[in-house]
Amino acid sequence: MIVTPKIRGFICTTAHPVGCAINTEQQINYAKKHEINGTKRVLVIGSSGGYGLAARIVGAFSCGADTVGVSFDRPSSGSRTATSGWYNNMAFEKLATRSGRMALTINGDAFSDEVKNEAIEAIRKLPGGQVDLIIYSLASPKRTDPSSGNTYSSVLKPIGSEFSGKTVDVHTGAVTEAKISPANEEEIAHTVAVMGGQDWVLWAKALYKAGVIAQNAKTVAFSYIGPTVTHAIYKDGTIGKAKEDLERGADEITELLQPLGSKAYVAVCKALVTQASSAIPVVPLYISIIYKLMKENGTHEGCIEQMVRMMQRIYTDGDIPLDEKGRIRMDDLEMSDEIQQSLNTIWSDINSDNIMEKSDLEGYRKDFYRIFGFEVDDVDYSVDVEI
Ligand code: NAD
């Protein structure tokens, strides 16, 4: 079948198997060049795309770890392609196995008890039957709480007052004013239930009870803070409340795992184009500008570069460098004064006419298509592929 991109809003409903495999392989090649004396057995929850996939790749190919991955992906059926995560998992498993690493993947809802139990069984199959690192990298619009059966949906809204700010339609380049009315109490609580620390804590409890966490293990979940221009919609909005709850979750897990000497950390990562971030208003415009600025001064990173640097940091010989709230700051380069001051200048006068010159919207678009295996160099998109 000839596979072409089909865009619906901020997602692409098709994925190219060859392009996804090459994307995964390119990240693997980068990871191989950065040997790290780190994890030997890692569980990655949310392992088929974005930061989770990159963390799994660094675990396997920089640290030489056996890996268990959990993701929620769809195989192909009829003329419908699989999700990009499905193809990424296939490519990862093939290359990890070829390098002599165990790579077990569970495809299902990470919020459910069943998938937690399947992950425990998979960990028991690894040598030693325990993991020394757990990466929590879920980004989901919905969660069903297994104990109550209630389903929660997350929203991306401001809290307290209406938000109004610049946003871009990444496909047309039109810069407009987005207006978003504030969330009500229920929407805030539901967003926290989906993207906060509750499920991370449930994972830690289940794994601990099953005895599959090694002594001195670490667990890391990902957060974002960002600049003032996105605060109303991110840090001070519903998703920010969920991220605050992730920090509460980290404290709860560290206390729970105290007998093992294990610790939970929140890592604040860089804003990057992923399926999750493209759904957030305002953020794509911000990302397009910092892409340009960070590429120009040589500090631009993608998910794989971020995850290599994070693993180097958490497996340093000394104490892990943390901020005043105990977080790992992988957004240090993005948040540097130089980048943020230039951003503020550009932000105030960017518009539909000058966006191509003042931002790297082209780079944003390319990265967006690449998530789904399109616009990857050396792929001939005119030939039939097995989906
Ligand atoms: P992503 O969309 O690229 O990946 C999300 C992963 O979660 C996928 O593997 C998907 O299959 C999996 N997943 C989603 N729902 C699931 C479910 N119910 N069961 C099992 N797996 C499920 O997202 P991402 O951008 O890499 O985000 C990962 C984390 O990093 C999120 O917590 C996000 O807030 C955080 N983060 C992202 C950015 C960014 O700019 N992208 C920046 C900082 C922090």
Side-chain angles (χ1 to χ4, degrees), residues 72 109 111 139-144 151-154 193-195:
F72 210 5
D109 181 7
F111 298 128
S140 172
K142 267 202 214 121
R143 167 174 170 241
T144 299
T151 298
Y152 303 107
S153 294
S154 65
V194 179
M195 288 297 286

Short mmCIF file of all heavy atoms in Angstrom, two decimals, residues 72 109 111 139-144 151-154 193-195:
data_model
loop_
_atom_site.label_atom_id
_atom_site.label_comp_id
_atom_site.label_asym_id
_atom_site.label_seq_id
_atom_site.Cartn_x
_atom_site.Cartn_y
_atom_site.Cartn_z
N PHE A 72 0.04 1.95 24.43
CA PHE A 72 -1.33 1.71 24.00
C PHE A 72 -1.39 1.98 22.51
O PHE A 72 -1.55 3.12 22.09
CB PHE A 72 -2.24 2.68 24.76
CG PHE A 72 -3.63 2.16 25.00
CD1 PHE A 72 -3.98 0.86 24.66
CD2 PHE A 72 -4.58 2.96 25.61
CE1 PHE A 72 -5.26 0.39 24.91
CE2 PHE A 72 -5.86 2.49 25.87
CZ PHE A 72 -6.19 1.20 25.51
N ASP A 109 -3.92 -0.81 28.21
CA ASP A 109 -4.16 0.39 29.01
C ASP A 109 -3.36 0.36 30.33
O ASP A 109 -3.69 -0.39 31.24
CB ASP A 109 -5.67 0.48 29.30
CG ASP A 109 -6.01 1.71 30.10
OD1 ASP A 109 -5.11 2.55 30.33
OD2 ASP A 109 -7.19 1.83 30.50
N PHE A 111 -3.36 2.21 32.71
CA PHE A 111 -4.10 2.61 33.91
C PHE A 111 -4.83 1.42 34.54
O PHE A 111 -5.34 1.52 35.65
CB PHE A 111 -5.13 3.70 33.56
CG PHE A 111 -4.50 4.98 33.04
CD1 PHE A 111 -4.92 5.55 31.84
CD2 PHE A 111 -3.50 5.62 33.76
CE1 PHE A 111 -4.35 6.73 31.37
CE2 PHE A 111 -2.93 6.80 33.30
CZ PHE A 111 -3.35 7.36 32.10
N ALA A 139 1.11 10.04 28.35
CA ALA A 139 0.38 11.26 28.01
C ALA A 139 -0.93 10.76 27.43
O ALA A 139 -0.94 10.12 26.38
CB ALA A 139 1.15 12.08 26.99
N SER A 140 -2.01 10.99 28.15
CA SER A 140 -3.28 10.41 27.72
C SER A 140 -4.41 11.40 27.96
O SER A 140 -4.40 12.15 28.94
CB SER A 140 -3.53 9.14 28.54
OG SER A 140 -4.82 8.65 28.29
N PRO A 141 -5.41 11.42 27.09
CA PRO A 141 -6.53 12.32 27.32
C PRO A 141 -7.55 11.77 28.32
O PRO A 141 -8.42 12.49 28.79
CB PRO A 141 -7.17 12.44 25.93
CG PRO A 141 -6.77 11.21 25.19
CD PRO A 141 -5.49 10.72 25.79
N LYS A 142 -7.44 10.46 28.65
CA LYS A 142 -8.48 9.81 29.47
C LYS A 142 -7.89 8.79 30.41
O LYS A 142 -6.87 8.18 30.09
CB LYS A 142 -9.39 9.01 28.54
CG LYS A 142 -10.59 9.73 28.06
CD LYS A 142 -11.60 8.68 27.64
CE LYS A 142 -12.41 9.17 26.48
NZ LYS A 142 -12.42 8.45 25.30
N ARG A 143 -8.55 8.56 31.53
CA ARG A 143 -8.13 7.46 32.41
C ARG A 143 -9.34 6.87 33.10
O ARG A 143 -10.18 7.61 33.63
CB ARG A 143 -7.14 7.99 33.46
CG ARG A 143 -6.89 7.01 34.58
CD ARG A 143 -5.79 7.47 35.55
NE ARG A 143 -5.79 6.60 36.70
CZ ARG A 143 -6.02 6.97 37.95
NH1 ARG A 143 -6.22 8.24 38.24
NH2 ARG A 143 -6.03 6.08 38.92
N THR A 144 -9.42 5.56 33.11
CA THR A 144 -10.45 4.90 33.91
C THR A 144 -9.77 4.41 35.19
O THR A 144 -8.79 3.67 35.14
CB THR A 144 -11.10 3.73 33.15
OG1 THR A 144 -11.71 4.26 31.98
CG2 THR A 144 -12.15 3.01 33.99
N THR A 151 -14.43 7.04 34.66
CA THR A 151 -13.53 7.49 33.60
C THR A 151 -13.41 9.01 33.67
O THR A 151 -14.41 9.73 33.75
CB THR A 151 -14.04 7.05 32.22
OG1 THR A 151 -14.06 5.63 32.20
CG2 THR A 151 -13.14 7.54 31.09
N TYR A 152 -12.16 9.48 33.68
CA TYR A 152 -11.89 10.93 33.73
C TYR A 152 -11.29 11.39 32.41
O TYR A 152 -10.52 10.66 31.79
CB TYR A 152 -10.89 11.23 34.86
CG TYR A 152 -11.36 10.74 36.21
CD1 TYR A 152 -10.77 9.63 36.80
CD2 TYR A 152 -12.39 11.39 36.87
CE1 TYR A 152 -11.21 9.17 38.03
CE2 TYR A 152 -12.83 10.94 38.11
CZ TYR A 152 -12.25 9.83 38.69
OH TYR A 152 -12.68 9.38 39.90
N SER A 153 -11.64 12.61 32.00
CA SER A 153 -11.04 13.20 30.80
C SER A 153 -10.27 14.44 31.20
O SER A 153 -10.73 15.22 32.04
CB SER A 153 -12.14 13.63 29.82
OG SER A 153 -12.80 12.49 29.35
N SER A 154 -9.11 14.61 30.59
CA SER A 154 -8.32 15.80 30.93
C SER A 154 -8.67 16.94 29.97
O SER A 154 -9.09 16.69 28.84
CB SER A 154 -6.82 15.50 30.88
OG SER A 154 -6.44 15.20 29.58
N ALA A 193 -6.67 13.74 37.87
CA ALA A 193 -6.85 12.28 37.96
C ALA A 193 -6.21 11.57 36.77
O ALA A 193 -5.74 10.44 36.88
CB ALA A 193 -8.34 11.94 38.04
N VAL A 194 -6.17 12.24 35.60
CA VAL A 194 -5.60 11.60 34.40
C VAL A 194 -4.08 11.78 34.37
O VAL A 194 -3.32 10.82 34.20
CB VAL A 194 -6.20 12.18 33.09
CG1 VAL A 194 -5.58 11.52 31.87
CG2 VAL A 194 -7.71 12.00 33.08
N MET A 195 -3.63 13.04 34.50
CA MET A 195 -2.22 13.35 34.24
C MET A 195 -1.40 13.61 35.52
O MET A 195 -0.22 13.93 35.44
CB MET A 195 -2.12 14.56 33.30
CG MET A 195 -2.51 14.27 31.86
SD MET A 195 -1.43 13.06 31.05
CE MET A 195 0.05 14.04 30.78
#
